[in-house]
């Protein structure tokens, strides 16, 4: 057993020492940087106060601004008065009818055979991937989100074989599927990528899953609420209704399990699977979070239900507004010749430094100029991708967008950012192009 009482100065050769060495860059950044592990003292719209410093927040994933929607905030007390703050049964012991209502609403929105909600996507990956993989083979995208990777590693510890295919490379996946003899076969990958904002070409992966009798397991944590079914009446090229990547591509759910979450676009602690009823019933007795985990707080169930209503009534208009704000930032980057892998206009904009060692300086500059972003430090990202990520939400005011654009001009003059022209990345290989805005 690890000796967790050991002091940090006395760790040479120990497990703790090797972890500290592995995470050295990130630990140093965390300890020295105000934009990491920060305590937020107060918020005012999308402005946040850290100590005596007010900043515009471009680091939250509350894409639709539902965390600040009066109609959604006001819904909570009614539900809490009726259900208390926390049901505290695991779902197998008893689910308030609110869960049934959420699953039904999801069903209508997604058009899947069935849905199952559990507290978080992380819990879903850790518990569901091992069940679906059994002692078969998991085909894992080479750059799948860490939470998917961890779920797959748990599956491996239960006897599954893991094969990794190059990021977004369905031809490589086809080769691996051709060579594989064992069943079941599970393909695990992201929908909208959390760093680039790009999507994989889902129809190609779905076709392979059907051809090789595999199950395609897609985590669309970021896409849900933003991209959706295409329609001649859509207000922007993300599609309509925010009903996720499967609908965005007009795919059926045959051989596909979709995982999504409410913790980003819907600002609530809850997650879901869209899946066949037979698998739902299996998971009710085989997935530990359904059997044993504490449930989501009633406040979150309430905000999900109220969020569905706002999405139905005003969601497309909110997305159109968010699309416009994001496009303004992407236009600015194009004008500055600053590289971003974002090819979709999605409200996640990654900017990479030409000199990764200057990450701290860049972070301090942004902070001093009142801009709060997500720092993408090594080892969270490979060294050549070190930089920062801007997340835009519908609740960011136009004035905040203008402030960000002004600061991006300054940053591009003071620091060497990776340029769009002469980029080392083959842009089209990163994912499907929706439209370059
Ligand atoms: C792609 C992806 N999957 C899963 C998660 C974790 O989701 P949850 O908070 O529901 O566990 C995140 C959060 O960053 C994510 O970006």
């Amino acid at each position: 057993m690890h000796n967790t009482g050991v002091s940090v100065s006395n760790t040479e050769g120990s497990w703790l020492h090797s972890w500290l060495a592995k995470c050295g860059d990130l630990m140093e950044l965390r300890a020295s940087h105000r934009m990491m592990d920060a305590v937020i003292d107060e918020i005012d719209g999308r402005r946040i106060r850290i100590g005596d410093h007010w900043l515009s927040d471009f680091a939250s994933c509350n894409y639709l601004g539902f965390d600040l929607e009066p109609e959604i905030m006001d819904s909570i007390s009614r539900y809490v008065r009726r259900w208390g703050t926390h049901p505290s049964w695991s779902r197998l012991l008893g689910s308030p009818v609110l869960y049934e209502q959420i699953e039904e609403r999801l069903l209508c929105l997604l058009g899947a055979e069935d849905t199952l909600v559990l507290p978080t996507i992380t819990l879903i990956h850790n518990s569901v991937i091992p069940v679906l993989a059994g002692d078969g083979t998991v085909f894992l995208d080479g750059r799948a989100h860490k939470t998917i990777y961890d779920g797959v590693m748990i599956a491996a510890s239960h006897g599954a074989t893991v094969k990794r295919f190059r990021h977004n490379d369905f031809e490589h996946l086809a080769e691996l599927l051709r060579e594989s003899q064992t069943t079941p076969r599970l393909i695990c990958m992201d929908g909208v990528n959390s760093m680039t904002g790009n999507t994989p070409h889902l129809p190609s992966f779905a076709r392979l899953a059907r051809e090789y009798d595999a199950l395609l397991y897609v985590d669309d944590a970021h896409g849900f609420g933003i991209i959706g079914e295409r329609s001649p009446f859509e207000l922007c090229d993300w599609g309509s209704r925010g009903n996720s990547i499967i609908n965005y591509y007009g795919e059926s759910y045959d051989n596909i399990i979709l995982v999504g979450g409410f913790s980003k676009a819907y600002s609530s602690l809850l997650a879901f699977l869209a899946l066949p009823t037979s698998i739902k019933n299996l998971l009710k007795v085989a997935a530990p979070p359904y059997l044993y985990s504490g449930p989501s707080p009633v406040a979150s169930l309430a905000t999900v239900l109220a969020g569905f209503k706002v999405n139905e009534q005003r969601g497309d208009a909110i997305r159109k507004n968010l699309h416009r704000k994001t496009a303004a930032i992407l236009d600015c980057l194009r004008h500055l010749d600053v590289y971003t892998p974002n090819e979709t206009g999605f409200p996640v904009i990654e900017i990479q430094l030409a000199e990764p060692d200057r990450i701290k300086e860049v972070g301090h500059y942004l902070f001093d100029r009142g801009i709060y972003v997500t720092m993408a430090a090594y080892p969270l990202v490979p060294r050549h991708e070190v930089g920062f990520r801007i997340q835009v939400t519908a609740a960011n005011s136009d004035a905040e967008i203008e402030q960000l654009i002004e600061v991006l001009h300054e940053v591009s003059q003071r620091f060497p950012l990776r340029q769009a022209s002469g980029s080392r990345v083959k842009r089209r290989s990163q994912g499907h192009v929706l439209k370059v805005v």
Side-chain angles (χ1 to χ4, degrees), residues 248-294:
Y248 173 77
Y249 278 106
E251 275 293 327
S252 79
Y253 285 86
D254 293 347
N255 291 60
I256 297 180
I257 289 191
L258 172 71
V259 180
F262 294 92
S263 73
K264 302 197 187 303
Y266 278 67
S267 308
S268 306
L269 187 95
L270 197 67
F272 67 83
L273 294 128
L275 72 186
T277 306
S278 56
I279 298 183
K280 172 175 175 168
N281 288 335
L282 167 67
L283 293 177
K284 283 188 170 189
V285 291
Y290 197 89
L291 278 79
Y292 305 113
S293 295

Side-chain angles (χ1 to χ4, degrees), residues 213-403:
D213 195 22
L215 201 51
L216 177 60
Y217 179 97
V218 183
D219 172 351
D220 202 25
H222 291 265
F224 176 66
I226 305 298
I227 61 170
E229 65 194 54
R230 307 307 303 263
S231 125
F233 308 107
E234 65 192 24
L235 302 184
C236 73
D237 60 7
W238 295 338
S240 306
R241 302 180 73 205
N243 51 8
S244 206
I245 188 166
I246 314 295
N247 287 298
Y248 173 77
Y249 278 106
E251 275 293 327
S252 79
Y253 285 86
D254 293 347
N255 291 60
I256 297 180
I257 289 191
L258 172 71
V259 180
F262 294 92
S263 73
K264 302 197 187 303
Y266 278 67
S267 308
S268 306
L269 187 95
L270 197 67
F272 67 83
L273 294 128
L275 72 186
T277 306
S278 56
I279 298 183
K280 172 175 175 168
N281 288 335
L282 167 67
L283 293 177
K284 283 188 170 189
V285 291
Y290 197 89
L291 278 79
Y292 305 113
S293 295
S296 292
V298 167
S300 271
L301 305 180
T303 52
V304 166
L305 284 165
F308 281 139
K309 203 164 146 208
V310 172
N311 184 56
E312 200 175 292
Q313 292 169 347
R314 293 186 271 127
D316 286 339
I318 294 172
R319 279 179 281 275
K320 182 182 173 200
N321 181 28
L322 177 60
H323 189 282
R324 175 183 63 79
K325 289 172 178 169
T326 310
I329 299 164
L330 287 167
D331 275 347
C332 156
L333 294 180
R334 235 187 324 279
H335 170 75
L336 294 172
D337 192 33
V338 170
Y339 171 73
T340 174
N342 182 315
E343 294 175 331
T344 58
F346 196 84
V348 166
I349 303 171
E350 187 191 0
I351 294 175
Q352 298 169 359
L353 307 190
E355 293 174 11
D357 290 345
R358 300 189 69 182
I359 174 113
K360 245 193 283 181
E361 268 177 84
V362 173
H364 282 300
Y365 188 83
L366 289 167
F367 192 97
D368 286 338
R369 296 290 290 117
I371 297 292
Y372 198 81
V373 293
T374 305
M375 301 310 290
Y378 179 84
L380 293 177
V381 296
R383 270 192 205 282
H384 67 276
E385 289 177 18
V386 160
F388 57 94
R389 182 180 70 171
I390 297 162
Q391 281 133 270
V392 196
T393 74
N396 283 114
S397 66
D398 284 344
E400 285 160 17
I401 302 290
E402 277 166 29
Q403 179 198 5

Side-chain angles (χ1 to χ4, degrees), residues 61 119-125 145-148 190-195 219-222 260-264 268-271 389:
C61 287
T120 68
I121 297 181
T122 306
L123 277 173
I124 289 177
H125 291 336
H145 193 263
K146 176 76 164 77
T147 54
I148 304 176
D190 290 86
V192 170
N193 186 280
S194 62
M195 294 303 291
D219 172 351
D220 202 25
H222 291 265
F262 294 92
S263 73
K264 302 197 187 303
S268 306
L269 187 95
L270 197 67
R389 182 180 70 171

Side-chain angles (χ1 to χ4, degrees), residues 76-85 97-98 101 298:
I76 294 173
S77 62
R78 184 163 41 95
Y79 284 96
V80 169
R81 272 198 302 275
R82 201 151 165 198
W83 290 98
T85 58
V97 71
L98 304 179
Q101 293 166 6
V298 167

